[in-house]
Amino acid sequence: MKRVLVLGGYGGFGGRISERLAALDFDVLVAGRSEDAARRFCQGRSGLTPAAVNRDVGLREALADLAPWTVVDAAGPFQGTGYDVPRACIEAGCHYLDIADARAFVLGVSTLDAAAKAGGVSIVSGASSVPALSGAVVRALASGMNEVRAIEIAISASSRASAGRSVTEAILSYVGKPIRLWRGGRWETGFGWSELRRQGFEIDGHLPILPRLVGLADVPDLDLLPDRVAGRPTVTFRAGAEYDLQNRALGLAGWLVRLGWLADLRPFAPIARWVQQRLRRWGSDRSGMVVRLFGQTGSEFVEHRWTLIAEQGCGPEIPCLAAPILLTRLRDGALIPGARDAGDLLSSEDFTKAFAPMPVLQETRIITLPPPLYAQVMGDRFMALPQAVRRLHEVVRDGSASGRAEVTRERTWAARAAAALFRFPAAGEDVPVHVAFTEREGVETWTRDFAGRRFQSRLSRRGPLLIERFGPLRFGFELPNDDGGLSMSLKRWRIGPLPLPTILAPHSPAREWAEDGVFQFDVPIRAPLMGLIVRYRGWLKPD
């Protein structure tokens, strides 16, 4: 019988993992800082033996005395910790597995790969909801898609099923802190628990979880998935508690960190736990997770969506499923030595089998998306455009393009003031250009970056017109086309809801076409009495 030492083995997640391993006929040592707590947990549970092991003090001696086959680290939190435990395991010749969701920790475990191979042991990090479960689901959803443009993942825990202190500390460690995000074709910066949005969890034929607020979370998937999915998609991950009050309070508290008034929010973990305990009695027992992939299958734009609803308070069981599956694989000799994350080690079928005896609902949907915005405005004429022009306007959720431009600016004070108001680019002959496209519910946001100077507009459809919005100004364009490309013909403009005379409107006979398969643009912007404000022309290629 294989001996497994579970650090934090009597905690919220560790206790569940210990019981699951005992049911699989492992010899389980339940360890932690308190031997009394370990004894109380093991009392009346077969297959579990208490052990006093502090992972921070005397671990190497304990490993030598106990001689475990594998160590499972379920103690947490892993944010800001080093690799003393897996290194001690390599030295002791035993395998190691953890349930970490800390981004830097999980990504950095590969630095132990050479030592693990030399020692003939397996070191696996992230055997939890992320990146093990999320990675398995993303691979399943991506199957059959020829390109994935965006991946969006969200998790919302019920108040009654919330986990313990280490989870609270892990969340508070990044609230308000910068989070590196791959979106718009390059690395951008978000902030922990910002950009709150509502996310619903719906499965046909079952009571849905009504939309809950979720905010940006810092997880390994943000680094792992762009490199592992065809198309290098934008990846966002959001998490949230059940109540709006909790999420909004965390979002507001995050500003104290963003403004530099606090280093982080971890000292407030006891207060957060106290509030959580007070709210439990009114909460539901349903947690949810959703994974959404946006992209193309053949010529269709699609969303592949997987939804999970954990009922009867079993949400905390979900992060505990991957570790027993992987240890069974390890026992069977199916894992080779080395150090790696768990993001591509399991399949969605592995988890479906684990869900079977649990009150867990899951569903996969394939949703055909509406045509892109420009296709909606132009109708059948859109397909007559050159491929390079069409490709740039086939915006599904997120996209980007890069190129070069020549920028001309008029030097009069009025033109300079207008250009400054809209943040138009400075003059230059060979200016690097990056355009990020974001689409939500048929509305596109274009963020144009000319050598670090950004300006933004929002595009939508109103009947036969393309509406472009710069702040309170709205411009309505027709999009006539010919064999070479398309142009923009201004038909109306407004400030808010107020129509303005077209004779006073800025004039922008913009044109787009293709040369040698490359998208070209020429955008001159003139105004009555001012003349030329700015003109930028050049080329772009989708990233």
Side-chain angles (χ1 to χ4, degrees):
M1 184 179 292
K2 300 291 188 182
R3 173 174 289 183
V4 179
L5 173 65
V6 183
L7 300 175
Y10 50 80
F13 293 141
R16 291 176 169 89
I17 292 173
S18 296
E19 290 186 296
R20 288 181 176 276
L21 293 176
L24 294 170
D25 293 326
F26 288 100
D27 175 18
V28 182
L29 300 179
V30 176
R33 291 182 173 86
S34 170
E35 187 174 6
D36 289 340
R39 291 186 184 281
R40 288 194 298 271
F41 181 83
C42 294
Q43 189 173 6
R45 293 182 169 96
S46 61
L48 303 181
T49 303
V53 179
N54 187 331
R55 73 178 196 175
D56 298 323
V57 180
L59 178 61
R60 284 170 171 79
E61 293 78 8
L63 294 181
D65 291 341
L66 299 173
W69 167 71
T70 297
V71 171
V72 174
D73 193 347
F78 294 88
Q79 282 76 5
T81 62
Y83 299 105
D84 290 346
V85 177
R87 285 197 179 100
C89 291
I90 293 173
E91 293 174 11
C94 66
H95 305 290
Y96 166 90
L97 181 146
D98 64 48
I99 60 169
D101 63 0
R103 183 176 182 175
F105 185 91
V106 174
L107 295 175
V109 80
S110 61
T111 60
L112 305 177
D113 187 54
K117 288 177 178 176
V121 297
S122 290
I123 306 294
V124 179
S125 185
S128 186
S129 299
V130 293
L133 172 57
S134 54
V137 172
V138 166
R139 285 196 308 280
L141 293 179
S143 178
M145 297 178 72
N146 50 299
E147 182 183 16
V148 180
R149 304 280 185 89
I151 298 173
E152 299 177 6
I153 305 174
I155 292 177
S156 177
S158 78
S159 291
R160 295 184 189 176
S162 61
R165 174 190 57 80
S166 63
V167 174
T168 301
E169 290 185 5
I171 293 171
L172 295 181
S173 72
Y174 61 76
V175 171
K177 295 284 188 68
I179 296 179
R180 201 171 73 124
L181 302 170
W182 179 257
R183 57 185 179 186
R186 60 183 180 179
W187 290 107
E188 300 279 358
T189 299
F191 292 91
W193 229 261
S194 67
E195 301 182 26
L196 291 172
R197 292 183 182 174
R198 293 206 174 272
Q199 176 64 59
F201 304 86
E202 298 181 1
I203 292 177
D204 280 346
H206 297 275
L207 182 69
I209 295 178
L210 296 179
R212 298 175 180 173
L213 284 177
V214 289
L216 290 180
D218 198 17
V219 296
D221 305 63
L222 299 175
D223 269 294
L224 298 174
L225 293 179
D227 289 331
R228 292 180 176 176
V229 179
R232 194 164 176 77
T234 290
V235 178
T236 55
F237 190 102
R238 288 181 168 87
E242 181 172 358
Y243 292 109
D244 286 4
L245 172 65
Q246 295 167 282
N247 295 303
R248 294 193 187 280
L250 273 181
L252 289 173
W255 277 100
L256 301 178
V257 178
R258 293 174 67 171
L259 294 171
W261 296 354
L262 292 174
D264 62 47
L265 298 178
R266 279 178 288 188
F268 299 93
I271 298 174
R273 289 287 300 149
W274 184 87
V275 172
Q276 176 65 35
Q277 293 297 324
R278 303 287 82 73
L279 293 175
R280 286 189 64 176
R281 60 183 296 184
W282 293 290
S284 75
D285 61 358
R286 309 177 81 212
S287 301
M289 180 174 179
V290 63
V291 181
R292 307 172 72 187
L293 271 63
F294 300 85
Q296 278 185 275
T297 299
S299 60
E300 286 191 326
F301 297 99
V302 295
E303 175 192 345
H304 288 192
R305 181 189 302 178
W306 174 84
T307 304
L308 175 144
I309 296 177
E311 301 188 308
Q312 301 177 29
C314 76
E317 296 287 348
I318 307 302
C320 305
L321 299 178
I325 300 171
L326 286 168
L327 286 183
T328 302
R329 296 274 178 87
L330 188 58
R331 182 174 60 184
D332 296 341
L335 289 182
I336 62 174
R340 62 189 70 87
D341 67 84
D344 57 1
L345 295 181
L346 297 176
S347 69
S348 60
E349 289 80 10
D350 292 324
F351 286 97
T352 296
K353 292 176 184 177
F355 293 150
M358 300 167 57
V360 169
L361 308 170
Q362 60 171 336
E363 178 189 69
T364 299
R365 296 185 193 177
I366 298 178
I367 303 167
T368 301
L369 300 175
L373 175 60
Y374 271 61
Q376 294 181 39
V377 174
M378 297 182 69
D380 294 339
R381 295 183 295 115
F382 183 75
M383 294 306 297
L385 294 173
Q387 183 178 4
V389 178
R390 287 202 318 271
R391 177 68 177 84
L392 197 85
H393 289 297
E394 290 175 340
V395 179
V396 179
R397 216 61 178 181
D398 290 273
S400 64
S402 299
R404 314 290 293 189
E406 176 186 357
V407 181
T408 305
R409 289 264 299 264
E410 184 58 62
R411 294 183 176 274
T412 66
W413 70 267
R416 292 171 64 183
L421 178 64
F422 292 101
R423 296 186 57 81
F424 288 142
E429 293 185 357
D430 188 23
V431 180
V433 182
H434 180 272
V435 185
F437 311 100
T438 302
E439 177 269 328
R440 297 291 182 272
E441 308 300 330
V443 178
E444 296 181 5
T445 300
W446 289 35
T447 304
R448 305 162 182 87
D449 186 329
F450 287 76
R453 190 178 183 91
R454 298 186 180 192
F455 67 103
Q456 190 177 84
S457 65
R458 299 182 67 188
L459 290 79
S460 59
R461 178 190 177 194
R462 179 68 62 88
L465 298 181
L466 178 75
I467 307 299
E468 184 166 20
R469 176 178 175 179
F470 291 89
L473 295 176
R474 294 171 172 83
F475 302 90
F477 296 96
E478 286 185 344
L479 300 176
N481 68 295
D482 53 35
D483 293 338
L486 66 85
S487 56
M488 301 179 70
S489 176
L490 182 68
K491 294 301 177 184
R492 71 183 190 198
W493 71 311
R494 298 172 181 266
I495 182 166
L498 180 65
L500 298 173
T502 54
I503 193 171
L504 300 178
H507 183 54
S508 177
R511 179 163 174 74
E512 302 172 357
W513 70 99
E515 286 183 12
D516 299 325
V518 178
F519 176 88
Q520 309 284 327
F521 61 90
D522 185 359
V523 183
I525 301 176
R526 294 181 172 86
L529 306 178
M530 291 187 196
L532 181 70
I533 297 174
V534 66
R535 180 179 187 179
Y536 47 94
R537 50 187 171 182
W539 57 269
L540 291 169
K541 290 183 179 180
D543 293 323

